[in-house]
Amino acid sequence: MTAVYINSAACISVQDTLNENFFENLQPAGAGQVLKAIEPVYKEFIPPAMIRRMSKTVKMSSVASSYALKEAGVENPDAIIVGTGMGCSQDSEKFLKNVLDNNEEFLTPTYFIQSTHNTVAGQIALGLQCHAYNFTYVNSSSSLEFSMLDAKLQVTDGEAEHVLVGSTDEQTERTMGLYELNKTIKKQEDLPVDYLSSTTNGVVWGEGASFFVLSKEKKDSSYARLKDIKITNRLDLEETQSFIEDFLAENNLTFNEVDAVILGFSGDAESDVYYTKAMDRFTDSVLLYYKHLSGEFNTASGFSTFMACRILKKQEIPEVMRINEVKKEGVKNILLYNHLGGNDHSLALLERV
């Protein structure tokens, strides 16, 4: 089967991930219930007249995708694939507010047109004048993984040479208020969060955009080889280890042969038990976590994929991500395991090039 390589990785997140030296400056996010992304100066990348009409997720994605394409040396990709859980929720909320405020009359269509989930992929294509395959996946916490899987198939089937793949999600005031009411977001009195041994339910919510260029061509600057992805919507707790074991076996690996595992501990006691269950078998692996750096959101796995790419390329592991004290002379492969609230479990295997 044709190998698929990740030739660039760009991320806008709660951390200053557009800064080349961010690796040394990673800081656990504060004690707030909601974490805001560190945004770039958009006017350096987007014409001011366009900025006013763009929601936050479109702006973040436009910049992150620009970084990814530039790093990969690709002017126009053969496909654009974006994964998002919430889409352009800012414009959705604005449209619904207009509906209520105007008694469903005399509505301008702009917010409605820009509220669709595929707005991000469409805006990127418009900016690039790219008429190639353009697709958006909306599959909760596995949206990026479905996008990566599609891109991998595009490359291996010879349909595309360079695919721009991304994930993005933004926060909105109304939705965050609803998340507080239904206890998705942690109560103020449960902060700060003990991510690895939390006894309370709920999460700290984040946001961000991560973009990658996947290609069949390996470069000296390539980050990693995307070996495989596996996704399941539902998983019983007792099936966790066999789910991972079967995936590793399909890739001729055992638990002991995985150099590093990045787990999506979110501080939600009810659903983090899946990660605890998974950890038990990785006795010889470097165990890492990341949502204390990014916050939880539908496409938080974009941040972990970005970090995995950096770890494989730099052969360095940030101390702030470590769960255990296992040391490795080199990191050849990394397994990423993520879910959201116990649903939509995904595994991704990246290999050093």
Side-chain angles (χ1 to χ4, degrees):
M1 184 179 285
T2 305
V4 178
Y5 299 97
I6 300 176
N7 284 345
S8 68
C11 179
I12 293 175
S13 70
V14 174
Q15 306 293 324
D16 191 13
T17 36
L18 286 182
N19 188 323
E20 190 60 35
N21 300 319
F22 83 94
F23 223 58
E24 293 77 32
N25 300 312
L26 290 169
Q27 295 290 333
Q33 294 169 290
V34 174
L35 306 174
K36 300 288 186 183
I38 297 175
E39 299 178 82
V41 180
Y42 291 121
K43 65 182 180 181
E44 295 179 1
F45 305 91
I46 307 168
M50 293 180 65
I51 293 175
R52 291 195 301 272
R53 297 195 297 270
M54 288 182 169
S55 67
K56 188 175 185 177
T57 196
V58 173
K59 289 186 287 188
M60 290 192 299
S61 300
S62 296
V63 174
S65 61
S66 176
Y67 267 84
L69 289 169
K70 184 177 180 180
E71 184 181 21
V74 175
E75 288 187 10
N76 221 321
D78 301 309
I80 297 172
I81 307 173
V82 175
T84 180
M86 299 294 289
C88 299
S89 47
Q90 283 185 2
D91 284 324
S92 298
E93 285 192 7
K94 287 175 182 177
F95 175 71
L96 292 173
K97 188 175 186 301
N98 278 351
V99 170
L100 295 173
D101 292 347
N102 294 286
N103 296 315
E104 303 181 21
E105 297 178 339
F106 313 117
L107 301 174
T108 55
T110 308
Y111 290 138
F112 176 74
I113 294 168
Q114 294 176 343
S115 69
T116 58
H117 287 69
N118 60 359
T119 299
V120 174
Q123 287 284 359
I124 293 171
L126 283 170
L128 296 171
Q129 290 298 294
C130 175
H131 303 283
Y133 178 88
N134 192 291
F135 210 86
T136 299
Y137 285 89
V138 186
N139 297 87
S140 186
S141 64
S142 53
S143 299
L144 173 63
E145 287 73 16
F146 273 105
S147 301
M148 287 276 196
L149 193 57
D150 187 356
K152 190 172 188 294
L153 290 171
Q154 293 281 332
V155 174
T156 54
D157 290 349
E159 297 291 331
E161 286 191 28
H162 307 289
V163 181
L164 176 66
V165 183
S167 64
T168 182
D169 274 299
E170 66 186 1
Q171 297 165 355
T172 54
E173 187 176 346
R174 179 64 175 161
T175 301
M176 294 303 102
L178 293 173
Y179 278 3
E180 282 190 58
L181 287 174
N182 72 5
K183 300 178 182 177
T184 296
I185 292 176
K186 276 197 186 293
K187 299 176 183 177
Q188 189 68 48
E189 56 264 33
D190 293 333
L191 301 176
V193 182
D194 183 348
Y195 281 83
L196 297 178
S197 53
S198 174
T199 57
T200 59
N201 294 335
V203 301
V204 172
W205 205 258
E207 62 181 354
S210 302
F211 276 78
F212 312 87
V213 172
L214 272 56
S215 307
K216 69 176 183 179
E217 175 189 356
K218 177 186 173 183
K219 296 184 175 181
D220 292 338
S221 57
S222 295
Y223 281 88
R225 178 183 176 186
L226 177 61
K227 286 280 288 181
D228 202 2
I229 290 173
K230 187 174 185 178
I231 304 160
T232 186
N233 176 243
R234 300 292 171 123
L235 190 68
D236 290 335
L237 181 60
E238 297 307 315
E239 297 174 329
T240 307
Q241 293 180 356
S242 60
F243 172 61
I244 297 172
E245 186 173 22
D246 293 345
F247 175 71
L248 293 176
E250 290 166 8
N251 289 281
N252 302 311
L253 289 172
T254 64
F255 284 97
N256 293 336
E257 292 173 317
V258 177
D259 294 316
V261 184
I262 302 182
L263 301 162
F265 278 100
S266 65
D268 177 51
E270 186 175 354
S271 62
D272 278 351
V273 291
Y274 284 97
Y275 301 123
T276 305
K277 192 77 172 176
M279 278 198 316
D280 292 343
R281 295 292 299 274
F282 290 103
T283 54
D284 296 327
S285 304
V286 179
L287 299 176
L288 308 171
Y289 71 126
Y290 67 94
K291 285 176 184 172
H292 61 307
L293 303 173
S294 68
E296 174 70 288
F297 55 102
N298 286 272
T299 50
S301 60
F303 182 84
S304 68
T305 305
F306 174 74
M307 293 303 297
C309 288
R310 289 290 178 136
I311 289 169
L312 286 169
K313 189 170 184 176
K314 292 170 71 76
Q315 289 295 294
E316 294 177 18
I317 296 176
E319 290 298 319
V320 72
M321 293 180 68
R322 284 186 179 273
I323 296 174
N324 62 1
E325 298 302 319
V326 173
K327 303 288 184 181
K328 294 281 183 178
E329 289 186 8
V331 180
K332 182 182 177 183
N333 53 57
I334 296 181
L335 177 70
L336 293 84
Y337 175 30
N338 185 58
H339 63 73
L340 179 62
N343 296 317
D344 298 300
H345 299 254
S346 65
L347 298 171
L349 183 63
L350 302 185
E351 185 180 79
R352 182 184 182 186
V353 294

